Each structure stands twice: as C-alpha cells, then as structure tokens.
Amino acid sequence: MGRRGFHFENLLEEIDLPGEYFIDRTAGILYLLPNTAFQATAPVITLTALEETFIEMNSVTSTAMSLSGPDASTRPAPLES
C-alpha cells in the first residue's frame, strides 16, 4: 500500500521543525521557529507585503530569471531549513 500523508502550509499549529514559519497577514506577525544556522548568525529578516502578484507564470516548461536594480546584489539569501 502506498504512503499517504498530508502537507499543510502556513498553519501556526503545525510549526514543529526548525525553519518552519507562519505568517499572520491580518495582524502583520511572522512566527518563526529558527534553525541552528539562523540562530548562530546575526539574523536579518526582510518581509514584503505586496498588494498584487509580483510574478505569475503559466504553462512554463523552462525559464531563467535574474534580478536587476540598485539592491539586487545585496538582497539577503532565503531562509533554509
């Protein structure tokens, strides 16, 4: 019999592993369970709140993207679990 399971995203009740997070958009609060690497450094968290979709791709088979602009080279790396 195949393995069955569920995957939930953005549920505060399900945060139980380092690197997981929940965003309460109504209250403007980020709940984060940091991983060891994050705790060992001087962490910086940057959040944005866009009103509209920034990038939308449909029926894409392959693509390459790059950022350009005054802050593209200083943009922090995404969090990893």
Side-chain angles (χ1 to χ4, degrees):
M1 187 177 260
R3 182 177 177 193
R4 295 182 185 182
F6 294 93
H7 175 79
F8 295 101
E9 291 185 5
N10 210 37
L11 287 175
L12 182 57
E13 298 83 6
E14 294 299 319
I15 296 176
D16 59 356
L17 296 173
E20 293 182 342
Y21 62 91
F22 168 75
I23 302 172
D24 183 336
R25 296 183 190 282
T26 304
I29 298 173
L30 168 67
Y31 297 88
L32 169 68
L33 183 56
N35 61 25
T36 305
F38 185 81
Q39 293 174 0
T41 63
V44 174
I45 297 176
T46 304
L47 300 174
T48 61
L50 300 175
E51 294 285 327
E52 299 175 13
T53 303
F54 181 66
I55 296 174
E56 181 175 331
M57 296 181 183
N58 296 306
S59 303
V60 175
T61 56
S62 127
T63 188
M65 297 178 65
S66 64
L67 296 174
S68 63
D71 67 338
S73 64
T74 60
R75 196 170 306 253
L79 298 176
E80 296 180 12
S81 55

